[in-house]
Amino acid sequence: MGQVLVTGAAGFIGAHVCQALLARGEQVIGLDNFNSYYDPALKEARVAALTGNSHPGAFTMHRLDLANTDDILDLFAANPGIDRVAHLGAQAGVRWSLEAPFAYAAANVTGHLGILEGIRRSEGRVGHAVYASTSSVYGKRTDGAFRETDRTDTPASLYAATKKAGEVMSSTYADLYNLRLTGLRFFTVYGPWGRPDMAYWLFTDAIQKGRPIRLFNEGRMLRDFTYIDDIVAGILAALDNPSVEAGHRLYNIGNSQPEPLLDMVAILEDLIGMPARRELLPMQPGDVPATFADISSIQEDLGWEPTTDLRTGLGRFIGWWRGYFG
């Protein structure tokens, strides 16, 4: 068993993946730039939880920026034991891409290309790479479940466009250089250690502090909420099961059960024990009205199934929140 490179290791999904890999005895190399898109203290706390005494020597962290391709290529060259990659690092967030477009191009296009080039230059040592894409590539769909074979050439945000670019580059590199690459289109991931820019976090904070929650499109949204443990199980299933032949695969990874946003609000009110004050607002640029994952491909190929319903997952998040913030 070699080493797994995990990019975005201080991020929400990345830190959970690192923890799962360490728990099964893997050697993990983490990479993150700890940027200030949201409070870096949360990222530091996630990493601190990974570097305790439970897995001494099994985890190393490199504070590097994905957009600095020389550093990325040097990291691959200096660690010839890397035989798998979980590329989860990216500039996230739909709305912020309106304000900082070049940050998305740097991390999600240049940075993704740097990872692909590092894999290519490994000369076959990296047997498989899994990378994060997004349900946002499907655009403003409202017509049933999203399938990997559907057209995705009209994304509604720059964020989604940069992630679609990553898919296209991955397909090209897999074909040109006989790589095994798997992209996972994540659907609204939530849970403990989550991201402060996500609705469930913002709503929880606002409800407890008596501030109004901001409901865009007046709350008339459907989201395929997917619990973090289910996402991690899917990532590891993909990582552990590369395709027999070189090539590029894409899978949806979601709960496959769209929930009204207002149902999530009602569950949070019940769990917190306080009512939410609502501020109804129009749809934000870049947002989409609904997400709905058809997961038949990942079920058939990898045997992956989500197991966590929204109330259970939100209950675990609220439990973590109370422990973390006191």
Side-chain angles (χ1 to χ4, degrees):
M1 186 176 291
Q3 298 171 311
V4 185
L5 172 64
V6 180
T7 71
F12 171 34
I13 299 174
H16 278 275
V17 168
C18 287
Q19 185 61 56
L21 290 168
L22 291 169
R24 70 182 198 180
E26 299 270 15
Q27 295 286 317
V28 179
I29 297 174
L31 183 159
D32 206 291
N33 69 350
F34 292 82
N35 71 15
S36 57
Y37 171 63
Y38 58 82
D39 188 357
L42 179 60
K43 303 175 186 182
E44 297 285 359
R46 293 183 187 127
V47 172
L50 295 173
T51 54
N53 295 324
S54 56
H55 309 288
F59 178 77
T60 56
M61 170 59 76
H62 295 264
R63 294 172 182 255
L64 300 175
D65 193 325
L66 281 171
N68 192 330
T69 52
D70 287 342
D71 285 349
I72 300 303
L73 296 177
D74 288 346
L75 179 67
F76 275 95
N79 293 276
I82 295 172
D83 61 2
R84 286 152 295 154
V85 174
H87 176 36
L88 307 172
Q91 179 55 62
V94 168
R95 293 176 188 138
W96 198 57
S97 65
L98 297 169
E99 303 175 32
F102 295 110
Y104 288 78
N108 301 355
V109 180
T110 301
H112 190 86
L113 182 58
I115 293 297
L116 292 175
E117 189 63 15
I119 295 168
R120 180 186 77 83
R121 296 188 189 191
S122 73
E123 298 179 339
R125 293 191 303 273
V126 177
H128 187 211
V130 173
Y131 70 90
S133 188
T134 174
S135 63
S136 296
V137 300
Y138 289 106
K140 297 179 180 180
R141 291 275 306 279
T142 58
D143 54 347
F146 305 174
R147 296 175 176 83
E148 297 89 343
T149 54
D150 293 343
R151 290 187 64 173
T152 54
D153 53 2
T154 55
S157 66
L158 178 65
Y159 164 69
T162 61
K163 297 300 276 185
K164 176 62 178 178
E167 292 183 358
V168 175
M169 288 189 293
S170 297
S171 177
T172 300
Y173 260 66
D175 183 58
L176 285 174
Y177 304 116
N178 295 314
L179 306 180
R180 289 176 173 83
L181 304 173
T182 300
L184 299 176
R185 291 173 173 168
F186 297 147
F187 282 70
T188 315
V189 188
Y190 74 100
W193 293 104
R195 279 188 10 226
D197 63 324
M198 298 293 286
Y200 67 96
W201 181 299
L202 293 169
F203 292 172
T204 297
D205 188 53
I207 291 169
Q208 295 190 109
K209 294 177 179 176
R211 298 195 313 266
I213 61 172
R214 306 175 74 199
L215 294 168
F216 296 104
N217 199 33
E218 299 183 343
R220 297 191 299 269
M221 307 277 231
L222 288 171
R223 287 292 181 268
D224 202 338
F225 298 106
T226 314
Y227 187 64
I228 182 61
D229 288 0
D230 292 330
I231 288 288
V232 171
I235 292 170
L236 295 190
L239 193 66
D240 293 345
N241 293 279
S243 57
V244 175
E245 297 181 351
H248 178 242
R249 305 180 299 181
L250 278 172
Y251 293 116
N252 290 334
I253 180 167
N255 210 44
S256 197
Q257 186 174 333
E259 309 256 11
L261 185 65
L262 294 177
D263 284 4
M264 183 188 75
V265 173
I267 293 171
L268 286 174
E269 290 175 314
D270 186 45
L271 292 170
I272 295 168
M274 296 175 63
R277 295 168 52 203
R278 291 162 167 78
E279 180 181 1
L280 303 182
L281 298 168
M283 180 75 90
Q284 285 282 95
D287 265 353
V288 297
T291 61
F292 183 3
D294 180 313
I295 57 171
S296 55
S297 291
I298 195 170
Q299 287 173 315
E300 181 178 347
D301 292 356
L302 304 181
W304 177 83
E305 294 274 358
T307 61
T308 311
D309 65 85
L310 184 58
R311 174 173 285 274
T312 299
L314 287 175
R316 293 172 185 168
F317 168 71
I318 295 298
W320 169 84
W321 176 284
R322 288 171 173 158
Y324 184 76
F325 290 105

